Amino acid sequence: MRRPQRIEPGPGQESVWDYPRPPAVEPVAKRVVVRLGGVVVADTTNAVRVLETSHPPVYYLPVADLADDALVPAEGSSMCEFKGRARYFDVRGGGVAAPRAAWNYPTPEPGYEQLRDRVAIYPSAMDSCEVGGEVVQAQEGDFYGGWITSEVVGPFKGGAGTFGW
């Protein structure tokens, strides 16, 4: 299977095909806000994003910057070859619960220590997720949990037929 052609980034954009593998972690200078059930469940200026070839960035927010009781431990775990074993959370806000809509790495592998006290959230399960005031689009397929903004171009891995790229 051939991977699709890389989209050339315009001014102020970056291509996910220029992201590294293994993934990199970098700080985010913009404010990140997440809403569920009509209320803000996360608001931070201290996020980081994980950049990996072919994937939209995944934003990790400090657990301390989530609303009280927004995270409830959920069943199950998964394994990332780079970051380690993830645990899952239900996200709650405004009387709404989004099952297994967040995850984190309580004991991340070396090089990913910045993720220890942070949580990633699936944007498709929230009312909205914003980066610098821009509402993000959820990555198709939800497997990777990427946040698509106008600053990134693909094509993006994750949708049907893309796992073999």
Side-chain angles (χ1 to χ4, degrees), residues 69-147:
D69 302 321
L71 296 177
V72 178
E75 293 294 317
S77 66
S78 61
M79 186 69 184
C80 170
E81 66 183 301
F82 302 113
K83 297 179 288 288
R85 182 156 305 278
R87 64 181 173 183
Y88 289 85
F89 299 90
D90 296 343
V91 179
R92 294 186 180 169
V96 174
R100 288 177 50 97
W103 71 96
N104 87 329
Y105 296 93
T107 54
E109 293 295 319
Y112 298 95
E113 295 88 356
Q114 294 178 70
L115 304 181
R116 182 178 328 279
D117 296 318
R118 298 175 186 274
V119 63
I121 297 174
Y122 288 108
S124 64
M126 301 296 108
D127 294 348
S128 66
C129 296
E130 299 173 13
V131 176
E134 178 183 354
V135 176
V136 306
Q137 177 185 1
Q139 179 179 14
E140 186 181 354
D142 252 359
F143 181 78
Y144 302 104
W147 294 30

Side-chain angles (χ1 to χ4, degrees), residues 19-26 49-53 55 80-83 111-112:
Y19 291 165
R21 186 169 171 87
V25 180
E26 72 172 25
R49 64 183 190 152
V50 172
L51 309 175
E52 182 174 0
T53 306
H55 308 297
C80 170
E81 66 183 301
F82 302 113
K83 297 179 288 288
Y112 298 95

Side-chain angles (χ1 to χ4, degrees), residues 38-63:
V39 301
V40 172
V41 294
D43 188 343
T44 187
T45 55
N46 189 25
V48 298
R49 64 183 190 152
V50 172
L51 309 175
E52 182 174 0
T53 306
S54 77
H55 308 297
V58 177
Y59 285 74
Y60 286 78
L61 319 178
V63 172

Side-chain angles (χ1 to χ4, degrees), residues 136-162:
V136 306
Q137 177 185 1
Q139 179 179 14
E140 186 181 354
D142 252 359
F143 181 78
Y144 302 104
W147 294 30
I148 301 172
T149 66
S150 61
E151 295 176 345
V152 296
V153 296
F156 306 114
K157 194 171 187 177
T162 66

